[in-house]
Amino acid sequence: MFIGAQVSLYPMTSDFIGVILSGLEALAPYRDRLRIETDDISTLMVGAPGPLFDAIRDLFARTARGPAHVTLHATLSRGCPGEPDDPICRCETLTRAQDLPLTERQALALAAVRAAPVLGVEIDVQFSLYVMGEDRHMDKIYGCIDFVKTSGCFLKSKNFCTRLRGDAGAAFETVRQAFLRFGPAEGHVTIDLTASANSPSPR
Amino acid sequence: MFIGAQVSLYPMTSDFIGVILSGLEALAPYRDRLRIETDDISTLMVGAPGPLFDAIRDLFARTARGPAHVTLHATLSRGCPGEPDDPICRCETLTRAQDLPLTERQALALAAVRAAPVLGVEIDVQFSLYVMGEDRHMDKIYGCIDFVKTSGCFLKSKNFCTRLRGDAGAAFETVRQAFLRFGPAEGHVTIDLTASANSPSPR
């Protein structure tokens, strides 16, 4: 299993370098559990969904507390057949979740969102879940959408994606549960995620 | 068939609103062939791949000419089973391309990139192609990667995505060809695309 993300942070301020460097300090507690490599477009983070989503959440929450409008984009992937197995990505939740019926997986996902820490930062999130290598991939996606609608973070459906709004803790937990519980354990599942905070646009 | 994108522009400057509004002027020639709707996170563009990719390219190229570091993200989708048919999305290339053997599709894709206009703006692009509803989805993706490597824009492979660098004309044409020619005509195909210009990071 290979799990990770390409993550980019976009502060809409002339001091974007300062905001990015300050945000990166939030990754310190996770560096021993993630492989992290940065280039001029994005930062690769490889590891289990626990530290992976916590790190992305804390990176974004840190910068979302500042006054600047900031967005984060992540291309998340698990089980891509072109990637090598990596022990750092081992995830028991992922392996066990798939033996359960859909309603039980939805209930466990909801319980995880309810247990999420409250970070005190309200954010907007937009994401798309892609399940590959399956004839009936939309069944998984619709099952996931049903969960998301009960998560407490659901804002609205849009073409090609779903909008969330809520505390950064619950919002990122909702996306993590979507990533973990709604495609085969050994399947190829990806998420295209955008988070936004402090936008001057009317909401 | 339903084809479109959720597009966001991120200028890394305190004058981001001015840069975005100026960039949006580049969409004017396409407004009669695309349905365009903006909210606080992204702009939905619905239409055929011809005007769709041209509009996204021109939006980005316009802002990439300015001094500010700017990135664009697009979630592109065609054939999502959850979306309604829309005549504005009709695309003959898409319908005809799929009857051809892979080598011929690769050759046509390459010819399209060679015929792309030169916009005089060098950009960086990172994208992932997802082909859903198929048992052997990686065959399509590897066939696409082989084309991209000959496109003249290929920079490197990364985990989860492929990097391009080149003139905005050729780079966006490469992505359009990937979107059109490497999954079933009626299939569900998506692209997660990031474009970047004027980054202060070492390249």
Side-chain angles (χ1 to χ4, degrees):
Chain A
M1 177 62 71
F2 193 86
I3 303 176
Q6 295 283 0
V7 182
S8 302
L9 193 61
Y10 305 125
M12 258 64 78
T13 165
S14 299
D15 181 33
F16 64 97
I17 297 175
V19 174
I20 291 173
L21 293 177
S22 158
L24 289 174
E25 291 170 14
L27 299 183
Y30 304 104
R31 288 189 182 273
D32 59 336
R33 283 169 292 160
L34 297 174
R35 179 154 66 84
I36 299 178
E37 295 167 12
T38 296
D39 71 11
D40 56 313
I41 296 264
S42 57
T43 292
L44 172 70
M45 301 184 192
V46 175
L52 179 66
F53 279 83
D54 286 357
I56 296 171
R57 175 197 69 199
D58 289 0
L59 168 64
F60 186 65
R62 162 86 61 121
T63 55
R65 286 181 207 279
H69 175 31
V70 60
T71 64
L72 173 147
H73 181 263
T75 300
L76 292 140
S77 172
R78 65 172 171 90
C80 177
E83 308 278 3
D85 257 355
D86 192 324
I88 201 177
C89 302
R90 188 179 152 77
C91 172
E92 297 245 333
T93 305
L94 184 57
T95 314
R96 282 182 304 193
Q98 314 303 323
D99 300 332
L100 306 171
L102 178 63
T103 50
E104 201 163 334
R105 283 184 276 141
Q106 288 169 328
L108 287 167
L110 195 55
V113 173
R114 290 194 175 135
V118 176
L119 300 192
V121 188
E122 191 180 86
I123 66 169
D124 282 87
V125 166
Q126 176 162 306
F127 80 105
S128 309
L129 173 74
Y130 303 125
V131 179
M132 272 156 291
E134 292 250 312
D135 284 346
R136 299 185 54 82
H137 69 290
M138 293 303 291
D139 292 355
K140 312 293 187 302
I141 292 171
Y142 291 138
C144 177
I145 290 173
D146 286 344
F147 146 65
V148 169
K149 285 185 173 171
T150 65
S151 69
C153 297
F154 178 76
L155 182 66
K156 62 176 176 174
S157 296
K158 291 174 63 172
N159 293 103
F160 319 132
C161 56
T162 298
R163 273 289 298 274
L164 310 179
R165 177 174 292 163
D167 185 83
F172 275 97
E173 191 61 52
T174 300
V175 181
R176 172 160 44 202
Q177 295 300 317
F179 185 69
L180 279 175
R181 296 192 192 269
F182 297 94
E186 300 300 319
H188 183 190
V189 173
T190 66
I191 281 182
D192 177 342
L193 167 79
T194 299
S196 172
N198 310 323
S199 170
S201 297
R203 293 172 28 156
Chain B
M1 178 63 71
F2 193 86
I3 303 177
Q6 294 283 0
V7 182
S8 303
L9 193 62
Y10 305 124
M12 257 63 77
T13 163
S14 299
D15 181 34
F16 64 97
I17 296 174
V19 175
I20 291 173
L21 292 177
S22 160
L24 289 174
E25 292 170 13
L27 298 183
Y30 304 105
R31 287 189 182 272
D32 60 335
R33 284 170 291 160
L34 297 174
R35 180 153 66 83
I36 299 178
E37 296 166 12
T38 295
D39 71 11
D40 56 313
I41 295 264
S42 57
T43 292
L44 171 70
M45 300 184 192
V46 175
L52 179 66
F53 278 84
D54 286 357
I56 296 171
R57 176 198 67 199
D58 289 359
L59 168 64
F60 186 65
R62 162 86 62 118
T63 54
R65 286 181 207 280
H69 175 32
V70 60
T71 63
L72 174 147
H73 181 264
T75 300
L76 292 140
S77 172
R78 65 171 171 90
C80 177
E83 308 278 4
D85 256 355
D86 193 326
I88 201 175
C89 302
R90 190 180 150 77
C91 173
E92 297 245 334
T93 305
L94 183 56
T95 314
R96 283 183 305 196
Q98 316 301 325
D99 300 332
L100 305 170
L102 179 63
T103 51
E104 200 163 333
R105 282 184 277 141
Q106 288 169 327
L108 287 168
L110 195 54
V113 174
R114 290 194 175 136
V118 176
L119 301 192
V121 188
E122 190 179 87
I123 65 169
D124 282 86
V125 167
Q126 176 162 306
F127 80 106
S128 309
L129 173 73
Y130 304 123
V131 179
M132 272 155 290
E134 293 250 311
D135 283 347
R136 300 184 54 81
H137 69 289
M138 292 303 291
D139 292 356
K140 313 292 187 303
I141 292 171
Y142 291 138
C144 178
I145 290 173
D146 286 345
F147 146 66
V148 170
K149 285 186 173 170
T150 66
S151 68
C153 298
F154 178 76
L155 181 68
K156 62 176 176 174
S157 296
K158 291 173 62 171
N159 294 102
F160 320 132
C161 55
T162 298
R163 273 290 298 273
L164 310 179
R165 177 173 293 164
D167 185 83
F172 274 98
E173 191 60 53
T174 300
V175 181
R176 171 160 44 202
Q177 295 300 315
F179 185 69
L180 279 175
R181 298 191 190 270
F182 297 93
E186 300 299 319
H188 183 191
V189 173
T190 67
I191 280 181
D192 177 342
L193 167 78
T194 300
S196 172
N198 310 323
S199 169
S201 296
R203 290 166 37 148

